[in-house]
Amino acid sequence: MKKKSRKPLYKRNRPKVEAPVEDEPAAIKNAPHTFVIRRGERCASIARLSRDFRRMMEPFTAANLRERRINKVKDFVHLSGFFHVSHMCVFSLSSQTLSLKIIRMPKGPTLTFKLHQYTLAKDVISNTRKQFVDEECFKTPPLVILNSFSGEGKHLKLMASTFQNMFPPINLSKIKLSTLKRCVLLSYNPVSKLIDLRHYSITVVPVNLNRGVKKLVTRNIPNLGRFEDIADFVEKGHLLSESELDDEEAHVVLAQNLKCGNLAENQSSLRLHEIGPRITMRLMKIEDDLMTGEVLYHDYIEKDAIEVETIRKKRAQQRRLKEQRKHKQEENLKKKEKDKEHHRAKTSKQVQKGGEITEEDKKLLKDAEEAVGDVSDEDDREYYRKEIGDNPDEELFESAGGGNRKRPFIPKGSNYSLKPKKPRLDKRKQYEEDDRMARQDIKRRNNEGKEMKGKGKFGRKGTKDDFRGKSKYNSSGKNAKRGPKKVGGKKSSKQKK
């Protein structure tokens, strides 16, 4: 019986409507997207660091990406084309070092950095004197600021271009200043070869305003308990305290109007609030391909031209062998497809002819019939009479002549089995037979006891002892059933005398 559906009737009869797929605008598709994952040993702080790095790369990153141990880097590479991913950042923790790999999808290059120090975002915010975190600033991409990446060396230019291409470019003619709410600072030290990464949120405050007016303009609710009128608050605003002094180097002239009293062609002060994470790292090597290519740059290993040439030849040979194996696999697949098509065509022709059998099939059928032959019960009986000289028992050839030896036709998918079913044992009849035999045995013994009664020491008593088994050898007489004889106790009268 078909199981009833648990869906209500109005849901079962509802027509299925496919959800409309909205195409993303070209600006979002062409923007660089990132995957941030972690590999190697598990650590809670590294997991937190990867989440902070994702938050820094928002909004064009997979914020809710869940990676597992069974997932490999190839899995994320295959998905990169569908999600328009251009870069992948991999935090790898080993027993010795913590590294960060920045990969340009889908064919490299791969930059490997060694992390010397890092500080989580929650620790950075908790240590600041005036904490400021605006959730709205993560809806727009950050501004990238590079410092001291203009030195000699191709690896510096490659690093600078990689960091710039990880974030969407800025068009100065169309940019809105209200979208620039965060910045990522990357500073390179040519002496120690260390790169410092910092993450800040940007706020703009008007300059040359009374402190009381500034509090009103910035939408901070003032404390008017010491003033009788709002005019006193505006006139005596210089008596109020301000937590942060304005730096003249941070004063800028805005080209567009902003909120909170920041007008165009007026001076405003830029303030940075660090929101983390902090990372100090060093470039170790640059690979040409996706994590397995030729090493273009290494920090502390240098090789001669001869060694480089031998490595290139070895890689070219491995690439050639890989292409040959791939070509051979494709040929094998094509051959299998041709064999399948040939078999289908052959079987279809036989069906069209009405199931005609070829000469080769006829020979095979004839050989099978001769091997099997006709099974006759009378031939076996006659052979027994000639050899033994007596008629065989009926039970000897009963199974041979009982039925046909050919296997019955079993339709495909049926639960029929050729194995004979086990006979069902009726244990109740067996138990009744055992009880009947036991009653007869008891009756027989009683009759024998009556016959032997009154015949001396081989009378009834001796008969009972014989049926007791080994008990008569272990103990004797009436005291055999009693316990051990007590030692001591009350003395008899003869012993007293």
Side-chain angles (χ1 to χ4, degrees), residues 171 174-180 256 258:
N171 190 353
K174 298 181 180 180
I175 189 67
K176 291 183 180 180
L177 296 179
S178 59
T179 59
L180 300 177
Q256 299 176 7
L258 294 178

Side-chain angles (χ1 to χ4, degrees), residues 33 57 94 217 225 248 266 272 274 281 366 423 474 479 495:
H33 294 68
M57 301 298 296
S94 65
V217 170
E248 292 183 359
N266 288 336
L272 301 180
E274 190 173 2
M281 55 189 177
K366 188 175 181 182
N474 295 334
N479 297 328
Q495 291 177 354

Side-chain angles (χ1 to χ4, degrees), residues 54-70:
R54 283 181 193 173
R55 193 166 174 81
M56 184 184 72
M57 301 298 296
E58 284 186 0
F60 300 115
T61 186
N64 298 323
L65 181 65
R66 295 182 180 179
E67 68 271 17
R68 300 178 181 176
R69 294 198 176 192
I70 58 174

